[in-house]
Amino acid sequence: MATPVVELQEVKKIYQLGGETVAALDGVDLVIEEREMVAIMGASGSGKSTLMNVVGCLDRPTSGAYQLNGSDVGSFSDNRRSDTRGRFIGFIFQSYNLLPQLTAAQNVELPLRYNPRGFDRKQAVVEALDRVGLADRANHRPNQLSGGQQQRVGIARALVGRPSLLLADEPTGNLDSNSTEEIITLLQELNREDGMTVAMVTHEPEVAAATRRVVTLRDGRVLSDEQVEQRHFSGFAQHGEATGVVQ
Ligand code: ADP
Ligand code: MG
């Protein structure tokens, strides 16, 4: 039987802005199982980033229950929550969030400084950069790398702590079609070959079609949740019809 990695029950995230109340998440029930690859879609403002931040333990829900790998993270202290994040979760950002003064290798090493486990840091960095095909760019700074390469450094940084769950908030939002293909193919490989659970936000249907399940949010709720036939991303539809089915 499949093992749930993420289990959300009736999760709400309420913001008070002036006199107004905004329910960024308004009762989300969602289970993501081990080795799934899920796309989160929905209009701007529908709660996608809020959901990723809650699942990624960057933010706490206002109410509802969240279990990560069977642990009730909602009840954890801030310290225990960030320890859990370091252990189980790799987060990938739309704008890469690399530190410009550090090399690729130094950026990838950053999470290990806060990781209590006794990794051989240098070896872990070499392996992570190698996994994303950038072993030969270890000493480049972000401004010496293309957008796609910078995002691969961002993925290596997410991988270096050997997480079981990869979360990505519009990972290809700043990239052209070729770099998008490179990043989506890499995420598919990490899911299929390395057995990682992947959840990524996208508003591109062609990117969502590269996953196996599409969850659509509207107004902070799950509007639909569908299994899809996984496709290889090979461009956006307006640049010529995309995609062959993966296996
Ligand atoms: P999406 O990523 O789908 O565009 P978000 O999760 O960023 O949506 O936002 C969902 C809703 O919550 C929006 O209406 C947004 O304005 C609101 N929101 C998000 N973050 C905050 C915040 N820190 N304070 C107040 N409102 C917020
Ligand atoms: Mg967003």
Side-chain angles (χ1 to χ4, degrees):
M1 220 179 78
T3 314
V5 177
V6 169
E7 288 180 277
L8 301 175
Q9 284 170 322
E10 267 299 301
V11 163
K12 297 192 180 189
K13 179 71 184 180
I14 312 288
Y15 291 109
Q16 307 285 350
L17 263 190
E20 254 188 85
T21 302
V22 178
L25 297 177
D26 194 19
V28 170
D29 293 309
L30 182 67
V31 176
I32 299 175
E33 283 166 356
E34 207 171 22
R35 292 171 165 263
E36 275 200 291
M37 182 164 184
V38 187
I40 312 289
M41 299 193 79
S44 179
S46 58
K48 305 181 298 295
S49 292
T50 306
L51 177 64
M52 294 305 263
N53 291 342
V54 166
V55 171
C57 297
L58 297 167
D59 209 350
R60 277 179 190 281
T62 309
S63 64
Y66 176 21
Q67 299 215 324
L68 175 66
N69 292 327
S71 296
D72 179 14
V73 283
S75 66
F76 284 6
S77 66
D78 285 352
N79 277 347
R80 191 151 172 227
R81 233 163 36 106
S82 45
D83 179 50
T84 301
R85 184 169 68 230
R87 219 169 252 272
F88 294 121
I89 294 171
F91 212 104
I92 300 160
F93 302 89
Q94 176 173 354
S95 48
Y96 328 129
N97 289 12
L98 303 176
L99 294 181
Q101 70 276 24
L102 300 185
T103 64
Q106 289 167 334
N107 269 288
V108 171
E109 190 185 355
L110 273 182
L112 296 183
R113 296 195 188 170
Y114 308 101
N115 196 314
R117 286 173 294 170
F119 281 178
D120 177 341
R121 280 197 212 169
K122 288 277 174 284
Q123 182 59 26
V125 169
V126 167
E127 280 173 21
L129 278 171
D130 192 44
R131 184 66 191 84
V132 303
L134 283 182
D136 58 343
R137 296 290 190 279
N139 295 319
H140 284 54
R141 289 180 206 284
N143 69 2
Q144 299 168 321
L145 297 168
S146 70
Q149 289 173 331
Q150 289 181 62
Q151 189 57 296
R152 283 198 272 155
V153 175
I155 294 174
R157 182 185 53 194
L159 292 176
V160 77
R162 295 178 199 153
S164 48
L165 175 61
L166 269 188
L167 300 174
D169 194 350
E170 307 213 32
T172 60
N174 289 1
L175 299 176
D176 64 17
S177 177
N178 284 338
S179 302
T180 296
E181 179 174 4
E182 174 185 309
I183 295 303
I184 294 305
T185 302
L186 176 57
L187 292 174
Q188 286 180 326
E189 286 171 8
L190 289 168
N191 171 246
R192 290 150 51 86
E193 294 164 17
D194 300 41
M196 304 196 68
T197 308
V198 177
M200 69 169 168
V201 171
T202 179
H203 58 261
E204 305 285 2
E206 295 90 343
V207 172
T211 68
R212 293 189 247 160
R213 175 180 171 195
V214 180
V215 173
T216 304
L217 299 185
R218 185 161 76 192
D219 297 336
R221 294 175 152 267
V222 176
L223 176 69
S224 64
D225 186 344
E226 296 169 326
Q227 304 292 325
V228 296
E229 195 170 24
Q230 187 174 36
R231 287 170 178 275
H232 175 71
F233 177 90
S234 60
F236 294 108
Q238 66 263 33
H239 304 130
E241 263 317 301
T243 74
V245 174
V246 176
Q247 288 192 347

